[in-house]
Amino acid sequence: MQTETFRRQMPQPLAPRPLNLPESSETRLANGLAVVLIEDKRLPLINFRLAFRSGDANDPAELPGLSDMMSHLLTEGTTTRTSRQIAEEVERLGATLSVGSSSDFTSVAASGLSVYAGEILELVADVTLRATFPESEVTLACENTHQMLIQQRAQPTFLASERMAKVMFGNHPYSRISPTPEMLDALTRQDLASFRESTFIPNNAVLMVVGEFEADSLLARIEQLFTEWKPAAVAKPVFAALPTRNSRNTYVIDRPGSAQSNIVIANHGITRTSADYFPLLLMHTILGANASSRLFMNLREEKGYTYGAYSNLDARRLAGTFRATAEVRTAVTGASLHEFFYELNRIRDEAVSVEEITNAKSYLTGVFPIRIETQDGLIDQLVSIKMFDLPGDFLTTYRDQVNAVTTEEIQRVAQAYVQPDRSALVIVGDAAEIADQVKPYSDQIELLRH
């Protein structure tokens, strides 16, 4: 029987397609609000995104999680609508309305049929400018979040992320990944209202619109809704320096009887605007970004230690990390660490192959147009460009930047940012079963109870 060799060969990548990005126009209101309009008339849809350069990192030290709570409660009542009325209005329009915060920025997002653009935009303005944070909603949100925290602390993934954030970021606000019970007990509606007033200011925000619209009438509506919004001084908080790392320290969070170990290995990384971003992106893609990367192929496909092993490139406005992660069977914790450090050292010590870099470039340049072909995908990318102060031509030059990376650059950034001897190692698992397995890979071990 003739062997069907084609089934074992990766198909050749398709020829690159032009992005055909729609033209954008940008203006600024008298109060400082930047407005970016991108016409896309392929479908009768419209997307709004009002983004602020203030996120979880801007939370007061005594109220960690304040941005998240404010985001959650912003749509729970305004001076003109109750929580129920907001929900009913969104449903009537067949629209979406949501608020979310990340470490570096907060955004109010809405979308729907373009025929309802004016009404959807008015909802965005209402929750942004006139949220009241009713006492009953604040109380309910705090009670629900208390329960959520209990559930989170039962999850090994959360415990690992929480400890790693503290280890890598120290006293920097990036070390806080969730509210605390003490914060929830102390939180008042006045805290929320004051925080919104101090962070939701027009001269620290951008309103992006992608979709079908008539530019002049839409801009007039934006002026009408937001022109009375008063500008204010933008606070420039001073953040603590990151802790330095000179050894490989291990933190074992004990979960007696656990059938698996959650492993996280981390080094300090880069900011989002670093010149090393694209070489690191290629290195990350080869090492552990997906199911064809080295870590996955080694720990899952060859060894069968885990369902998946990955790397993570976390580049934020002020700092970042480069991490390797997996959830492995308790009995193979030590063997998994051996393979992790083998791969981390190999990406440093050996140049990647021509096939690997070619495949990684094909993947990144091939998936990129898919990520921006929808209005949601495009506006997500455009918001990131504004919030992280990326170059205006980031989208049009992305594929060229990827294709320009060399094998020498990949090895250079691997040696700079993948430093196994200076890594932080967090493992959540049964300490009695894994302690001896972990010792060969640790300069110092700290046992923690959760």
Side-chain angles (χ1 to χ4, degrees):
M1 185 177 68
Q2 185 177 3
T3 304
E4 295 179 315
T5 57
F6 74 92
R7 296 186 185 277
R8 299 180 177 273
Q9 296 174 351
M10 183 178 296
Q12 291 298 310
L14 298 175
R17 292 166 48 188
L19 292 181
N20 296 322
L21 293 172
E23 291 293 325
S24 67
S25 63
E26 183 168 350
T27 188
R28 191 174 294 272
L29 304 189
N31 59 12
L33 175 65
V35 179
V36 180
L37 305 180
I38 303 99
E39 287 194 64
D40 179 7
K41 297 186 176 182
R42 294 175 298 172
L43 295 169
L45 302 173
I46 193 162
N47 262 266
F48 297 97
R49 200 70 56 87
L50 180 55
F52 299 87
R53 295 179 182 86
S54 175
D56 300 339
N58 299 89
D59 292 348
E62 70 277 11
L63 292 173
L66 184 57
S67 291
D68 279 337
M69 291 297 290
M70 181 187 69
S71 299
H72 172 69
L73 288 162
L74 212 65
T75 58
E76 299 301 327
T78 70
T79 56
T80 61
R81 294 178 174 91
T82 64
S83 175
R84 180 171 180 173
Q85 287 172 330
I86 292 172
E88 289 176 344
E89 185 75 357
V90 171
E91 184 177 7
R92 180 183 70 81
L93 298 172
T96 67
L97 177 66
S98 62
V99 187
S101 67
S102 65
S103 295
D104 296 315
F105 62 92
T106 301
S107 62
V108 182
S111 65
L113 292 171
S114 53
V115 68
Y116 299 125
E119 294 169 89
I120 296 170
L121 183 59
E122 196 276 329
L123 281 172
V124 171
D126 195 28
V127 301
T128 300
L129 304 178
R130 293 180 287 276
T132 55
F133 308 106
E135 288 283 4
S136 59
E137 298 290 353
V138 174
T139 299
L140 178 61
C142 288
E143 291 174 353
N144 290 340
T145 306
H146 266 297
Q147 295 304 311
M148 180 197 72
L149 291 178
I150 295 172
Q151 295 173 358
Q152 282 182 330
R153 302 207 66 77
Q155 302 300 317
T157 302
F158 174 81
L159 296 175
S161 297
E162 179 186 54
R163 175 54 52 181
M164 187 58 80
K166 292 178 180 178
V167 170
M168 296 305 296
F169 296 119
N171 293 322
H172 191 283
Y174 284 171
S175 67
R176 306 191 297 257
I177 69 168
S178 71
T180 63
E182 295 76 16
M183 174 270 189
L184 296 171
D185 292 338
L187 184 66
T188 67
R189 67 165 301 278
Q190 187 55 50
D191 292 326
L192 294 158
S194 298
F195 190 65
R196 179 182 64 83
E197 290 177 7
S198 67
T199 56
F200 276 25
I201 53 179
N203 45 306
N204 197 36
V206 58
L207 173 62
M208 291 206 158
V209 188
V210 175
E212 182 186 55
F213 54 80
E214 199 285 312
D216 290 340
S217 61
L218 178 61
L219 193 56
R221 182 63 169 155
I222 292 170
E223 287 267 11
Q224 181 185 36
L225 291 170
F226 294 100
T227 192
E228 297 301 319
W229 190 10
K230 302 300 182 185
V234 179
K236 295 183 177 180
V238 177
F239 298 113
L242 302 181
T244 57
R245 301 204 55 79
N246 297 309
S247 60
R248 185 191 295 169
N249 294 344
T250 299
Y251 304 83
V252 175
I253 302 173
D254 189 20
R255 292 185 80 239
S258 178
Q260 66 181 20
S261 297
N262 288 59
I263 298 172
V264 184
I265 305 169
N267 285 119
H268 288 302
I270 60 171
T271 62
R272 186 60 184 81
T273 55
S274 170
D276 286 335
Y277 177 78
F278 282 99
L280 260 176
L281 180 62
L282 264 296
M283 188 272 288
H284 158 58
T285 302
I286 292 169
L287 178 64
N290 53 52
S292 62
S293 300
R294 289 181 178 185
L295 290 174
F296 191 98
M297 296 302 293
N298 182 335
L299 276 85
R300 172 179 166 142
E301 295 301 306
E302 295 180 18
K303 302 298 189 302
Y305 294 159
T306 177
Y307 284 115
Y310 302 96
S311 59
N312 178 272
L313 175 57
D314 178 17
R316 309 187 206 179
R317 181 184 296 153
L318 303 172
T321 60
F322 187 79
R323 304 191 297 273
T325 64
E327 300 173 3
V328 306
R329 302 193 315 277
T330 297
V332 295
T333 301
S336 298
L337 290 175
H338 179 273
E339 299 306 323
F340 264 122
F341 286 114
Y342 166 76
E343 294 295 354
L344 294 174
N345 281 303
R346 183 161 74 102
I347 199 75
R348 287 169 47 87
D349 298 339
E350 302 174 10
V352 300
S353 68
V354 172
E355 180 182 12
E356 285 178 311
I357 193 172
T358 300
N359 289 342
K361 288 179 178 181
S362 296
Y363 169 75
L364 290 171
T365 57
V367 76
F368 181 69
I370 298 173
R371 290 175 176 164
I372 60 174
E373 69 179 1
T374 65
Q375 287 185 10
D376 278 336
L378 178 59
I379 205 167
D380 281 344
Q381 291 291 327
L382 294 171
V383 167
S384 292
I385 289 171
K386 288 294 186 182
M387 292 297 100
F388 290 115
D389 298 317
L390 298 175
D393 63 354
F394 178 82
L395 296 182
T396 56
T397 63
Y398 177 91
R399 293 185 294 186
D400 291 338
Q401 295 267 35
V402 168
N403 285 324
V405 174
T406 66
T407 56
E408 291 78 13
E409 287 178 302
I410 290 175
Q411 189 167 14
R412 174 183 63 79
V413 296
Q415 291 173 349
Y417 302 105
V418 181
Q419 299 182 324
D421 293 340
R422 296 184 179 185
S423 60
L425 175 57
V426 172
I427 305 175
V428 182
D430 189 335
E433 295 293 328
I434 66 177
D436 288 340
Q437 299 183 58
V438 171
K439 285 180 181 178
Y441 306 98
S442 310
D443 294 331
Q444 181 179 345
I445 299 178
E446 182 175 346
L447 179 62
L448 304 166
R449 309 288 180 183
H450 76 282

